[in-house]
Amino acid sequence: MIQAHRPVMLEEALAGLAVRPGGIYLDGTFGRGGHSGAILQALAGTGMLHALDRDPAACAEAWTRFGALPNFRIHARNFGELGAIAAELGIAGKVDGVLLDLGVSSPQLDDAARGFSFAQDGPLDMRMDPRSGESAAQWLAHAKEAEIADVLWRYGEERNSRRIARRIVETRTQAPIVRTAQLAALIAAVPGPRSRTIHPATRSFQAIRIFINGELEALESALQAAPSVLAPGGRLAVISFHSLEDRMVKRFLREAGDGGPREPFAVAPPASRLPPLKRIARVFPSEAEVAENPRARSAVLRIAERLP
Ligand SMILES: C[S@@+](CC[C@H](N)C(=O)[O-])C[C@H]1O[C@@H](n2cnc3c(N)ncnc32)[C@H](O)[C@@H]1O
């Protein structure tokens, strides 16, 4: 069954963004519009909310829910292009708040046809934007064993990465791996260290999804662009769901605080050209929220403010 998406740390994110009527806001991850809806409510018909999502289904939902509002626009774009999008819209340096609520939404995970879930059988796709790039099945059909192992280790911290990669490469010589259940069963059958709390395919599915969608690259580009997109006093709010993302955000904010990021953000412009960001808060979900919405369990919200 496809569940509605419950926005994570809704009140905390809204408070962190300090939404004020008349302001310009950018929600980089519309999803099902939980956060966007709350921002629009706080704007009370004033200001402007630009929302992005690379998933056409999310954009269709945005049209249905808020398409008639004059202070709302949805853009079917990747937030990795945040800087270019803000420049195209003429709002670079003028945005009062940018929100990134990372990862996939519940409807994406719950729709077996999207191929994100090892718990339900479906085509092995995993693309947030099914119109572009390679699906997980297409990539697994040609990737080298060492590349697969590297992805599983780097993006899933999967300790069994080498054995799983070997089994994938052996299996595909007999039949292509094209279904989520097929991949999940293959991984579950590989001997090796096991967690007692999560399904053996959890980390591999996370890793392949992050790789297929270039999630960390998009986050890095958006973080790089955020200081120049924000107006002085504007807020950046990022909700991460795993340590790879949160480490990146934490490190970026630490380094952006004293004049801009350095290594490993190799594409960073010279530090002196980036306006600094001040760290405001790090927030975790309440026990009550985690009890009600297990998806919130691993969430971390970080808030920063652009200095003048
Ligand atoms: C966790 S959900 C956001 C949920 C949303 N805040 C809500 O309350 O409904 C993440 C959404 O961001 C989208 N997304 C993830 N990475 C993206 C990217 N790089 N560019 C644009 N959209 C992205 C996904 O397609 C998904 O719809």
Side-chain angles (χ1 to χ4, degrees):
M1 201 178 82
I2 298 181
Q3 304 278 333
H5 183 88
R6 288 198 210 177
V8 170
M9 285 194 273
L10 182 61
E11 280 164 27
E12 294 87 340
L14 261 280
L17 287 169
V19 178
R20 57 166 188 82
I24 302 176
Y25 293 86
L26 202 151
D27 178 353
T29 49
F30 179 84
R32 287 300 177 271
H35 291 94
S36 275
I39 294 170
L40 284 166
Q41 215 165 17
L43 287 175
T46 68
M48 189 70 202
L49 172 63
H50 289 281
L52 318 178
D53 206 295
R54 64 200 292 196
D55 184 340
C59 294
E61 170 84 4
W63 269 109
T64 309
R65 281 189 67 188
F66 304 123
L69 298 179
N71 65 338
F72 175 79
R73 267 180 75 189
I74 179 76
H75 309 267
R77 302 278 292 267
N78 187 328
F79 66 62
E81 300 173 82
L82 183 65
I85 294 167
E88 285 165 31
L89 295 170
I91 56 170
K94 297 182 184 163
V95 176
D96 297 293
V98 171
L99 171 68
L100 299 176
D101 176 16
L102 301 171
V104 281
S105 65
S106 304
Q108 286 170 326
L109 274 176
D110 295 341
D111 182 355
R114 302 298 301 269
F116 287 109
S117 170
F118 53 80
Q120 310 175 70
D121 188 30
L124 188 57
D125 192 316
M126 297 201 197
R127 284 171 297 181
M128 291 183 196
D129 178 358
R131 302 160 307 184
S132 79
E134 273 190 322
S135 70
Q138 287 166 332
W139 177 66
L140 285 178
H142 69 74
K144 293 198 168 73
E145 184 178 324
E147 187 188 0
I148 298 171
D150 187 48
V151 164
L152 300 185
W153 172 246
R154 235 177 337 137
Y155 301 134
E157 294 171 334
E158 171 56 69
R159 285 182 294 158
N160 219 7
S161 56
R162 289 217 181 99
R163 286 201 199 106
I164 294 172
R166 192 168 318 131
R167 183 66 62 92
I168 287 172
V169 169
E170 282 163 9
T171 306
R172 76 184 181 195
T173 59
Q174 284 135 42
I177 303 165
V178 291
R179 308 285 302 177
T180 53
Q182 195 189 357
L183 179 62
L186 176 163
I187 295 168
V190 174
R194 282 267 186 280
S195 156
R196 256 180 273 150
T197 50
I198 60 171
H199 185 282
T202 307
R203 289 175 177 279
S204 298
F205 269 64
Q206 173 192 298
I208 296 170
R209 189 202 87 207
I210 290 175
F211 171 75
I212 286 292
N213 291 289
E215 292 181 37
L216 298 186
E217 291 82 353
L219 176 59
E220 184 178 320
S221 307
L223 290 172
Q224 291 290 342
S228 321
V229 167
L230 288 169
R235 294 278 180 96
L236 171 67
V238 185
I239 305 174
S240 307
F241 289 88
H242 54 76
S243 55
L244 291 172
E245 291 167 343
D246 187 52
R247 256 183 257 145
M248 256 174 99
V249 178
K250 180 171 135 185
R251 178 167 186 162
F252 176 81
L253 294 181
R254 194 175 59 220
E255 298 191 350
D258 59 1
R262 290 177 286 274
E263 289 300 314
F265 300 101
V267 292
S272 57
R273 279 202 272 128
L274 267 185
L277 289 173
K278 179 174 134 201
R279 283 169 284 176
I280 299 286
R282 180 182 61 154
V283 188
F284 297 99
S286 64
E287 277 177 27
E289 179 171 8
V290 174
E292 234 179 72
N293 181 11
R295 223 189 125 256
R297 196 181 44 229
S298 52
V300 185
L301 164 66
R302 290 185 189 266
I303 313 279
E305 182 176 301
R306 191 193 134 175
L307 294 171

